[in-house]
Amino acid sequence: MILTLSLALQNLLTYSVNLADNLMLGAYSETALSGSALCNQIQFLLQMLVVGAGEGAVVLGSQYWGKKDLQPIPHIIGAAIRFGGAMAAVMFLVVLLFPAQVLGLLTNDQAVIAEGVKYLQIICFTYVIFTVTNILTASLRSIGIVKIGYMISFSTLCINICLNYCLIYGHFGFPRLGIRGAAVATLISRCVELGIVVWYLKYREHLLNLSFKKLLHIDTSYIRDYKKVSLPVLFNQAQWGVAQMVQTGILGHMGAAAIAANSIATIVFQILSVVAYGAASASGITVGRTIGEGNNHKLRELVHTLQVLFLAIGVVSGALIFLARTPILSLYNISAEAHNLAMQFMLILAITTVGTSYQMACDNGIIRGGGDTKFSMKLNAVSMWCIVVPLSAIAAFALHWPPVAVFFLLKWDQLYKAIPVIIRLRSWKWVKKVTRPDAPPAPVQAT
């Protein structure tokens, strides 16, 4: 529970940064808000790729941690940084060279694209920095080190709010940069984040004793182990990120009001569902460690308790989203159409978040933490590309249904995916040891 709340607090601080951007740009201009929302979908794709690269290190690292064998972990982290860094570099080049073309895939509103390009040309320089920082912090989570996440997220929140206020509106003698100001603020925040991680690894982390030398000169035999665990997760996260961009593109072609409403509803959902995502991350680490310890009786009790916890979190999170709709929307300077759509979108999310909190946490937490990284990939491939995206596209472009109906079709998978997840959990076929059986134990040093 402590680990869950710790990760929930970190997620809350992280999403609060997005909310601050959202509120300040929403008060500045609805077009700027819509432009940044499209750019954030590209950031979301990167984030999903980074999660995929980092989760391979978390799954392997937590099981080695359970065996009290820490020697392989720096090699696994080095492999994760190589994979994640390469993907971030490719995305940086594509976005830097073709910003308007990339945004044109998400909307046909030229005013929104123009604002988005201003933001994207600056924010793309954060991609590699963001990737390295997040893979390092995710890897440290696998051995129970979470406090570095608070330091990073809190610093980013403070810096972002202050710089947004100065650079978006031109206060205290700073230039009035509008949407560019929000991008500059985020770039500076990301640089500070990386600086904090480097400082922490050098002066405060004494369990793994990570260094640039250890991360650069790794035992390449561990890359094979990492790829076996990580590639299914990476593929799953990549298809999820692409699917979210496709969903944004579907709504984006239904008008700027739909883009703005989707952006607001999504941020509110992220803020108010942080405990669910924290529980998923914490359960993955705890389940992996328990499997590494070889304690099957404890594992069964743990899985039962976690399922009840996930469902309770979902009910509470849904109620909070429903109650927060009116007070949060009163903070935005948006059109009546966008306001009404946001109210309807958040009502849908209040319902579907119950399913999200249960099935997502069971899937990405328990099942993935147990070593089964392929189930989620297969489930999401069928659900997203055979059901959600085709039905939503038909509803939007062939049947011309209203945005609220299309939005529901984009989110209803969060409810029905609970059925295959329950079946998989009860089969216990997801329990897989992914560590090397002959790995020599190493003493764990006190921090």
Side-chain angles (χ1 to χ4, degrees):
M1 178 59 72
I2 293 176
L3 186 56
T4 295
L5 294 176
S6 298
L7 293 174
L9 177 58
Q10 181 182 336
N11 287 337
L12 176 61
L13 292 170
T14 299
Y15 292 133
S16 294
V17 174
N18 296 335
L19 179 62
D21 279 351
N22 209 264
L23 285 171
M24 291 185 176
L25 283 174
Y28 176 77
S29 162
E30 184 175 316
T31 305
L33 172 62
S34 298
S36 69
L38 295 184
C39 297
N40 286 337
Q41 284 302 311
I42 301 169
Q43 173 71 27
F44 182 78
L45 173 59
L46 173 66
Q47 186 175 339
M48 291 298 97
L49 295 175
V50 171
V51 168
E55 279 298 301
V58 171
V59 172
L60 280 165
S62 61
Q63 290 201 18
Y64 275 116
W65 184 36
K67 295 176 64 174
K68 295 182 172 57
D69 180 12
L70 303 183
Q71 183 271 334
I73 296 179
H75 302 288
I76 295 166
I77 296 174
I81 290 177
R82 283 166 170 75
F83 274 81
M87 292 185 295
V90 171
M91 284 193 65
F92 163 73
L93 289 174
V94 171
V95 168
L96 181 67
L97 298 175
F98 309 104
Q101 291 85 343
V102 171
L103 291 175
L105 298 174
L106 302 177
T107 185
N108 54 3
D109 190 318
Q110 293 303 312
V112 172
I113 292 175
E115 286 294 300
V117 167
K118 298 176 186 177
Y119 187 84
L120 200 55
Q121 288 176 328
I122 299 172
I123 208 71
C124 66
F125 287 93
T126 68
Y127 288 175
V128 174
I129 299 171
F130 172 83
T131 299
V132 173
T133 301
N134 279 268
I135 288 178
L136 287 174
T137 53
S139 302
L140 291 174
R141 284 202 310 269
S142 70
I143 56 171
I145 299 176
V146 296
K147 61 183 179 182
I148 181 62
Y150 307 152
M151 300 166 62
I152 290 174
S153 300
F154 184 71
S155 70
T156 303
L157 178 61
C158 295
I159 293 170
N160 230 50
I161 289 176
C162 294
L163 290 181
N164 275 347
Y165 184 74
C166 295
L167 295 175
I168 293 176
Y169 301 105
H171 293 302
F172 301 116
F174 285 87
R176 180 183 173 91
L177 299 178
I179 195 171
R180 288 192 181 96
V184 171
T186 302
L187 176 59
I188 294 172
S189 300
R190 299 301 184 205
C191 292
V192 173
E193 285 180 355
L194 183 58
I196 292 174
V197 172
V198 171
W199 170 83
Y200 184 86
L201 291 176
K202 185 174 179 61
Y203 296 107
R204 289 291 184 269
E205 197 284 307
H206 304 298
L207 196 62
L208 298 176
N209 292 313
L210 288 176
S211 64
F212 287 115
K213 183 178 180 181
K214 279 189 176 181
L215 295 176
L216 289 174
H217 302 287
I218 66 172
D219 181 348
T220 55
S221 67
Y222 284 100
I223 293 181
R224 182 179 64 255
D225 296 351
Y226 171 80
K227 287 169 63 178
K228 182 179 179 181
V229 174
S230 186
L231 285 181
V233 183
L234 186 61
F235 181 79
N236 178 57
Q237 298 301 121
Q239 70 168 347
W240 185 255
V242 171
Q244 295 305 305
M245 290 184 66
V246 171
Q247 292 183 18
T248 300
I250 292 173
L251 289 172
H253 285 80
M254 302 185 79
I259 299 174
N262 180 49
S263 174
I264 296 168
T266 300
I267 290 295
V268 173
F269 166 76
Q270 290 173 340
I271 290 288
L272 296 178
S273 62
V274 289
V275 176
Y277 284 92
S281 299
S283 64
I285 296 168
T286 306
V287 167
R289 183 174 62 186
T290 305
I291 292 174
E293 293 170 350
N295 193 334
N296 292 331
H297 178 70
K298 180 181 177 181
L299 178 64
R300 287 184 176 273
E301 292 183 346
L302 175 64
V303 169
H304 176 74
T305 302
L306 287 174
Q307 290 183 76
V308 175
L309 176 64
F310 296 156
L311 191 58
I313 290 172
V315 172
V316 174
S317 299
L320 289 175
I321 293 173
F322 178 80
L323 295 173
R325 295 182 304 159
T326 301
I328 288 179
L329 284 175
S330 67
L331 302 174
Y332 285 89
N333 180 25
I334 55 177
S335 65
E337 181 185 4
H339 181 279
N340 292 334
L341 284 176
M343 286 285 287
Q344 295 170 337
F345 288 1
M346 280 190 275
L347 175 60
I348 291 171
L349 289 175
I351 298 170
T352 60
T353 193
V354 179
T356 302
S357 298
Y358 176 78
Q359 60 85 13
M360 178 276 301
C362 288
D363 186 3
N364 295 346
I366 297 173
I367 295 175
R368 183 182 293 175
D372 184 357
T373 57
K374 294 182 179 179
F375 172 75
S376 184
M377 175 188 70
K378 296 174 182 177
L379 174 62
N380 285 317
V382 174
S383 173
M384 190 59 63
W385 300 111
C386 298
I387 301 174
V388 173
V389 169
L391 290 181
S392 302
I394 291 171
F397 303 127
L399 302 178
H400 304 291
W401 284 7
V404 63
V406 174
F407 187 83
F408 174 76
L409 289 177
L410 291 171
K411 302 300 179 184
W412 74 308
D413 62 314
Q414 299 304 304
L415 298 174
Y416 69 68
K417 284 195 298 187
I419 298 173
V421 166
I422 291 172
I423 294 172
R424 185 63 178 176
L425 273 177
R426 292 185 175 180
S427 74
W428 293 95
K429 294 179 181 179
W430 50 270
V431 180
K432 303 176 185 292
K433 286 197 174 184
V434 294
T435 56
R436 296 183 182 182
D438 58 346
V444 180
Q445 302 174 8
T447 56

